[in-house]
Amino acid sequence: MRGTRSTGHRFQVPLNHANPDGESITVFAREYSSTEHSDDEAARLPWLLFLQGGPGGRGSRVTQLAGWMKAAAREFRILMLDQRGTGLSTPADERTLPAKGTSAQQAEYLRHFRADSIVADAEAIRAALGADPWTVFGQSFGGFCALTYLSFAPEGMACALITGGLAPLSGPPERVYRHTFGRVAARNAEYFDTYPEDRTVLTRIARHLEEVDERLPTGERLTARRFQLVGSYLGGNARVDGLHYLLEDAFIATEAGERLSPVFLDQVQALVSRRSNPLYAVLHESIYCQGEASQWAAWRVLQEFPQFLPEAAEPLLIGEMVYPWYFDEDPALVPLRETAQQLASISNWGPLYDPAQLARNTVPAAAAVYSNDIYVDRDLSLETAAAVKGLHVWETADFHHDGIHDDGETIFNRLLALAHGR
């Protein structure tokens, strides 16, 4: 495909790597290489494993090598992982999870879908491929996984590259949200400075939704609090201006009065539904948990930031936070309500990081920290960076969380050079 060679791989791995003779699942990965290399040359290239953001995001599907992948394909074969439960790996969603039994049994199954299991999958796959230690490139949650990899299987890594993904090594999830709510508020202010008329439009939409029954294409009523999820646009400088285009044709005049336009509602549907990645909502807070229950941390911290409440005089848009009412309003999540509650109540989560191992790390590593990232806080990221021996940090305000989609080639090349002291 347009200078790209693509090969699919399927691997059988244990659901629980601590019990290798128990239930197994399939993990899919797609190999990409450039046809600038011959078949024989490509087969001799070192591997680069890409770990996608999420949780619950499948590996990228590409039809040509561009951005960071174009840069990486000059030196590597790229393995794009469909992390367990996503894509062509054994699915975990509202249709398949009921087969696991009660909500408690479903939650027990999903305990094995965090970073520690993803890293164990990667090592099993590396062994199956007969690959030498490989370069691991983690974006966002993929960067969290890379830190777990450095903690528990550093012998499998030749290099670690991380973008927008330095997770806090300790502390409850509340700590994360107290930082990120502030970042999101600042990003709202920046957006409304750029598009001041949109402040009025957004408030008008919120008030309209409180009074008028507007339905999404999937049939459920759109509430003001669910509309606030369009704040996902604020997480990137490659996407942020798209929010203005979304809002500019929100209203139309009808015989029944002012209503939200079908075009607007169709676009909002795509932004506020988790149908394509339910694990994002179900597992989201658990990715921060080590020895404590999340108990809907973002929902509890929200009460400290009333400007984000939908009834605020001028409500702000929210970021990646997940609230329990999502499981009442999103049809894709309603069947998973009790399972999500079970996961939020689990307190005996195992460790995701080994601070002692990270403090003596010898794997070449580099990370991009985005100064104004609304998803992975800059201050917490730098705290983590200081705890990883030999980790080279490039902090920049030129990009937001979607930096690799904005100028991935530049970011990848810079991190690779940093990691190897160039």
Side-chain angles (χ1 to χ4, degrees):
M1 299 181 292
R2 299 174 184 172
T4 306
R5 183 188 292 106
S6 172
T7 305
H9 300 272
R10 284 180 170 81
F11 305 91
Q12 291 297 119
V13 300
L15 170 68
N16 179 0
H17 284 271
N19 181 21
D21 296 325
E23 181 179 356
S24 67
I25 60 172
T26 299
V27 173
F28 177 84
R30 183 171 277 116
E31 172 188 350
Y32 292 103
S33 60
S34 171
T35 56
E36 291 181 4
H37 303 289
S38 69
D39 289 351
D40 288 342
E41 290 169 342
R44 292 194 295 271
L45 289 173
W47 286 97
L48 180 145
L49 173 69
F50 182 71
L51 296 174
Q52 178 82 356
R58 67 177 188 171
S60 301
R61 269 61 175 163
V62 303
T63 57
Q64 61 181 337
L65 296 171
W68 75 264
M69 293 185 71
K70 179 180 179 182
R74 297 188 184 109
E75 300 183 40
F76 299 97
R77 281 186 285 174
I78 300 165
L79 194 68
M80 184 73 66
L81 191 66
D82 278 356
Q83 296 169 17
R84 51 172 55 200
T86 74
L88 293 177
S89 298
T90 300
D93 55 35
E94 74 277 13
R95 293 188 175 184
T96 63
L97 285 170
K100 301 302 174 184
T102 66
S103 58
Q105 290 169 317
Q106 293 175 41
E108 186 61 30
Y109 178 79
L110 291 174
R111 285 177 70 109
H112 304 294
F113 283 70
R114 300 200 307 158
D116 50 350
S117 295
I118 292 168
V119 167
D121 290 344
E123 276 297 273
I125 289 169
R126 189 176 68 85
L129 292 172
D132 293 330
W134 51 17
T135 293
V136 176
F137 181 17
Q139 156 67 10
S140 188
F141 172 66
F144 294 19
C145 295
L147 285 171
T148 303
Y149 218 141
L150 286 171
S151 294
F152 300 121
E155 67 280 1
M157 306 176 78
C159 179
L161 307 176
I162 296 171
T163 51
L166 289 178
L169 301 180
S170 62
E174 292 94 318
R175 186 164 175 252
V176 172
Y177 298 118
R178 288 195 175 96
H179 281 260
T180 54
F181 269 117
R183 296 283 180 195
V184 179
R187 185 63 164 156
N188 271 265
E190 181 183 358
Y191 176 80
F192 293 127
D193 281 345
T194 304
Y195 296 105
E197 68 275 22
D198 287 357
R199 176 63 275 176
T200 301
V201 174
L202 193 143
T203 303
R204 188 173 150 211
I205 293 170
R207 299 291 86 87
H208 174 84
L209 289 171
E210 290 171 353
E211 299 170 2
V212 179
D213 186 336
E214 296 280 8
R215 298 277 161 167
L216 291 170
T218 42
E220 76 274 20
R221 182 172 182 174
L222 176 62
T223 61
R225 63 186 184 180
R226 194 169 173 206
F227 167 68
Q228 288 175 280
L229 298 178
V230 303
S232 60
Y233 270 119
L234 300 176
N237 48 347
R239 297 180 68 232
V240 66
D241 299 298
L243 177 58
H244 175 68
Y245 292 134
L246 172 72
L247 297 176
E248 71 177 0
D249 60 357
F251 288 100
I252 56 171
T254 75
E255 291 182 356
E258 192 173 61
R259 299 298 300 266
L260 296 178
S261 73
V263 171
F264 172 80
L265 290 169
D266 191 54
Q267 293 176 84
V268 169
Q269 165 72 37
L271 294 167
V272 304
S273 173
R274 289 295 173 194
R275 183 168 298 280
S276 63
N277 58 344
L279 289 182
Y280 181 92
V282 175
L283 291 174
H284 197 269
E285 291 195 351
S286 76
I287 69 175
Y288 297 109
C289 292
Q290 301 180 86
E292 72 278 306
S294 73
Q295 296 291 11
W296 302 111
W299 179 242
R300 290 184 285 107
V301 173
L302 171 65
Q303 313 314 311
E304 303 170 22
F305 295 86
Q307 64 269 43
F308 287 95
L309 295 172
E311 60 269 23
E314 293 186 317
L316 300 183
L317 299 174
I318 64 172
E320 66 172 356
M321 298 78 173
V322 172
Y323 303 140
W325 57 257
Y326 285 15
F327 295 84
D328 297 319
E329 296 191 13
D330 186 339
L333 298 179
V334 169
L336 301 175
R337 181 194 298 114
E338 293 304 318
T339 301
Q341 182 58 53
Q342 291 279 346
L343 285 164
S345 302
I346 291 174
S347 59
N348 60 341
W349 293 107
L352 292 170
Y353 312 108
D354 182 345
Q357 176 59 43
L358 294 174
R360 58 176 181 265
N361 173 61
T362 60
V363 177
V369 173
Y370 305 129
S371 302
N372 303 305
D373 195 329
I374 68 171
Y375 296 142
V376 180
D377 178 71
R378 174 257 186 200
D379 295 343
L380 295 179
S381 294
L382 294 182
E383 177 187 288
T384 294
V388 182
K389 184 178 180 181
L391 175 64
H392 298 275
V393 174
W394 169 39
E395 183 182 353
T396 176
D398 292 339
F399 302 102
H400 283 265
H401 195 68
D402 67 346
I404 62 169
H405 301 296
D406 194 8
D407 191 0
E409 190 166 3
T410 294
I411 291 170
F412 178 85
N413 285 333
R414 181 157 185 169
L415 289 183
L416 191 64
L418 269 176
H420 292 291
R422 298 198 296 270

